[in-house]
Amino acid sequence: MIDKASCRIRRGGELSFFSKNNNETMQYTHEVEQMCCVKKGCNHGPAPIPQEGAWTAVTKTEEISGLTHGVGWCAPQQGACKLTLNVKNGVIQEALVETIGCSGMTHSAAMASEILPGKTIQEALNTDLVCDAINTAMRELFLQIVYGRTQSAYSEGGLPIGAGLEDLGKGLRSQTGTLYGTLAKGPRYLELAEGYITKLALDEEGEITGYQYVKMGPMMEDIKKGMDANEAVKKHTGSYGRFADAAKYIDPRHE
């Protein structure tokens, strides 16, 4: 209970309270000043949240840890961002920023990947991450983290720094899907989880029965190691579905 008598300072007819903890002066209205003091009874504290295999009653920033993902979007919704953060003791140790749909957002993501590591989650929430989609993703992650809804909530000890890269798989490329279709000409598969689509297989009725793809990440790794580009393309080309039995093959980008 506040010792009201020892903390009164008259200023303009209002009550001021001087906080010894933060050296701030608290202003009270006349109505509140006239109230009698009623002692506070219950004080249950914060509810514990699951964090890295433990239940923690968090009261301080440095008590928060976890790895999680979230998605954000800009006001015109022309692009989106998937953000992955690995937080240890309140500080962001790892950030993976993936974007889609907006060319400018890729450069914003480059800056965000430099900005985020080393900041507390409160600092990151109130830092301009250049793009609204990335800022929105940060907001969504903040809510997950402080409410104990991280992906590593029940993983004892959490996940090591570098776990964010596991989302990318071999070749360290984002999992993207690019599909296009029109009423007049039908669907075109351009990129799927397997890779860059080079050919679509069609049956006698003109329906898609499979596709040929190139695994871009592994292919580029081999090229960087000195493999001939044509050989690398051949090595990392595969197919899905009834590709070999097609009546016709088309290039989805030009036919």
Side-chain angles (χ1 to χ4, degrees), residues 16 29 65-66 80 95-96 127 154 156 177 180 193 211 221-222 236 243:
S16 296
T29 65
S65 296
L96 172 64
T127 296
Y154 298 101
E156 187 174 357
Y180 178 73
Y211 49 84
E221 288 297 316
D222 279 345
H236 295 289
F243 183 81

Side-chain angles (χ1 to χ4, degrees), residues 156-217:
E156 187 174 357
L159 296 173
I161 311 305
L165 287 179
E166 294 179 3
D167 283 357
L168 301 180
K170 192 173 182 180
L172 299 183
R173 282 175 55 87
S174 295
Q175 302 295 310
T176 60
T178 307
L179 300 301
Y180 178 73
T182 60
L183 179 60
K185 300 296 182 178
R188 297 293 188 277
Y189 299 175
L190 303 176
E191 187 153 357
L192 293 170
E194 293 87 351
Y196 180 94
I197 308 301
T198 56
K199 290 182 181 179
L200 291 181
L202 308 180
D203 62 13
E204 292 82 359
E205 303 297 325
E207 294 184 2
I208 298 173
T209 60
Y211 49 84
Q212 185 182 74
Y213 58 85
V214 177
K215 298 178 180 178
M216 296 298 292

Side-chain angles (χ1 to χ4, degrees), residues 81-120:
C81 168
K82 177 198 168 191
L83 181 62
T84 303
L85 297 180
N86 199 347
V87 179
K88 299 291 185 183
N89 301 319
V91 178
I92 297 170
Q93 301 291 334
E94 176 186 16
L96 172 64
V97 190
E98 301 173 84
T99 67
I100 189 170
C102 176
S103 58
M105 196 193 302
T106 63
H107 294 82
S108 300
M111 289 181 271
S113 69
E114 294 186 51
I115 293 169
L116 285 167
K119 288 189 176 294
T120 67

Side-chain angles (χ1 to χ4, degrees), residues 141-155:
L141 261 70
F142 182 85
L143 294 175
Q144 291 183 36
I145 293 166
V146 297
Y147 284 122
R149 302 297 190 272
T150 63
Q151 302 295 310
S152 60
Y154 298 101
S155 300

